Amino acid sequence: MLTLTEHRKGVIYTTFSYLMWGLLPLYWKMIEHVSSLEILAHRLIWSFVFVFLILTLTSGLSSLWKTICKLFKDHKSLWLLLIAAILITINWFTYIWAVNHDAILEASLGYYINPLVSVLLGYLFLKERMNALQTLATIIAGIGVLFSTVQHGEFPWIALILAISFGLYGLAKKLLAVGPLHGLTLETLVILPASLLYLFYLIINGDSQFIHGDWVTILLLSGAGIVTAVPLLLFAKGAQMIPLYMIGFLQYIAPTISFMIGVFLYQEPFSSTQLITFSCIWIALALFVLSHTRQVHAKQVRSPS
């Protein structure tokens, strides 16, 4: 059983991970003059370099090699790894593009919707049951998205791509069952050749901001790996020390911070239509959290003391 000190550490680690994810738009905004594809390529490359360095310094390369050997013996796992790598690449690109094209609000909407998408995917693919509150929450969220589509005349594709890609990524990771550090290393390794080829293409065409940009741009592009890996590692550490319901509450820190950044710092327009859409999502999330809390309480009651 975890001690009170370990529990507090878990809350601190997990909270800091979500704080970092919530503040990430500020980082991407500092290099919005760089194309989203080039930022993505650097994020993938430097994430791989950073986590590979961590594994080297912590003598974790042997365990990584064992993980790779296991994956090559199981074609299903290899396909899941490839799918996970593609999904996280799509998710990262969409988020970077959204932030640097003044769509932080819609990006935050995507991560508000994500837990509901995960519940729906669990129902569809893992045969997990949805209770009445979860079903109602999903319907209300769907109404919010539909209302936004009808009023604006366009589909909130950024929010849905972010929510669905990350939801499917989580599903693939659950089926793959590889640790976060090994997972990030292998996922970035899969996309590494394409990233390097794209950067080489930019260099030979004289379009590389990493070569022709100022030193601040170079440092920020190089640091993309650190701002990607550090919150993930903090989350992986903290999640082992706190119960699942606590993670369920804390996960809304990131989109809430991003939402505030979009509205108050970058003054993105927040119309009455968006207010209704977000209100539907917030009501759905309140029902989702209530349902989750009830499930945890019921398990605690059934479990022997």
Side-chain angles (χ1 to χ4, degrees):
M1 183 175 292
L2 293 171
T3 65
L4 182 60
T5 302
E6 289 175 322
H7 184 273
R8 285 174 180 168
K9 285 182 180 179
V11 171
I12 291 171
Y13 289 144
T14 308
T15 300
F16 266 97
S17 71
Y18 282 120
L19 284 172
M20 291 183 71
W21 278 322
L23 293 170
L24 205 51
L26 299 175
Y27 193 91
W28 303 133
K29 275 290 188 182
M30 287 191 286
I31 44 176
E32 63 180 337
H33 58 284
V34 181
S35 73
S36 299
L37 268 177
E38 184 173 0
I39 295 173
L40 174 66
H42 281 287
R43 188 179 189 183
L44 287 159
I45 291 167
W46 294 112
S47 292
F48 173 78
V49 171
F50 184 69
V51 291
F52 189 81
L53 183 62
I54 290 175
L55 286 171
T56 302
L57 294 175
T58 58
S59 303
L61 291 181
S62 59
S63 61
L64 176 65
W65 179 248
K66 289 178 182 177
T67 300
I68 293 173
C69 291
K70 286 181 181 178
L71 289 172
F72 271 97
K73 292 178 182 177
D74 183 358
H75 289 174
K76 179 183 175 182
S77 294
L78 272 178
W79 278 109
L80 284 171
L81 175 65
L82 177 61
I83 291 168
I86 292 171
L87 287 169
I88 199 61
T89 301
I90 292 170
N91 184 272
W92 285 357
F93 173 75
T94 305
Y95 188 75
I96 293 167
W97 189 95
V99 169
N100 291 345
H101 287 78
D102 302 320
I104 296 175
L105 285 183
E106 192 171 339
S108 69
L109 178 64
Y111 286 109
Y112 275 127
I113 296 173
N114 174 248
L116 302 172
V117 170
S118 295
V119 170
L120 186 59
L121 289 173
Y123 171 76
L124 293 174
F125 294 101
L126 301 178
K127 307 303 180 184
E128 296 175 353
R129 295 183 63 183
M130 290 174 64
N131 59 36
L133 281 177
Q134 290 172 339
T135 303
L136 180 60
T138 305
I139 292 171
I140 291 173
I143 290 171
V145 172
L146 182 62
F147 179 80
S148 177
T149 303
V150 172
Q151 287 296 108
H152 282 304
E154 59 183 54
F155 199 66
W157 63 271
I158 293 173
L160 269 297
I161 288 176
L162 286 172
I164 293 171
S165 63
F166 202 71
L168 288 171
Y169 172 73
L171 177 64
K173 293 281 283 184
K174 186 172 183 177
L175 295 172
L176 186 58
V178 173
L181 191 57
H182 286 179
L184 183 59
T185 305
L186 294 174
E187 288 153 16
T188 50
L189 177 61
V190 168
I191 311 297
L192 189 64
S195 300
L196 290 170
L197 282 172
Y198 179 69
L199 290 187
F200 181 70
Y201 167 80
L202 292 179
I203 291 169
I204 61 176
N205 283 279
D207 296 326
S208 171
Q209 288 295 321
F210 191 77
I211 299 297
H212 302 290
D214 54 60
W215 66 271
V216 175
T217 300
I218 294 170
L219 284 176
L220 289 171
L221 287 172
S222 303
I226 296 175
V227 300
T228 297
V230 169
L232 181 69
L233 298 177
L234 285 173
F235 175 79
K237 181 74 173 177
Q240 296 173 350
M241 300 180 176
I242 59 176
L244 190 59
Y245 77 87
M246 183 68 71
I247 298 173
F249 283 114
L250 294 176
Q251 69 181 318
Y252 301 114
I253 292 174
T256 301
I257 292 174
S258 297
F259 173 83
M260 291 180 176
I261 287 172
V263 173
F264 298 110
L265 185 59
Y266 296 112
Q267 298 180 337
E268 291 187 9
F270 189 58
S271 64
S272 57
T273 299
Q274 287 173 304
L275 176 60
I276 293 172
T277 299
F278 271 89
S279 295
C280 286
I281 302 302
W282 289 330
I283 290 169
L285 289 177
L287 292 172
F288 176 78
V289 170
L290 176 61
S291 167
H292 192 66
T293 305
R294 283 184 175 180
Q295 287 179 333
V296 171
H297 178 70
K299 287 180 181 178
Q300 290 175 339
V301 171
R302 288 195 300 266
S303 299
S305 57

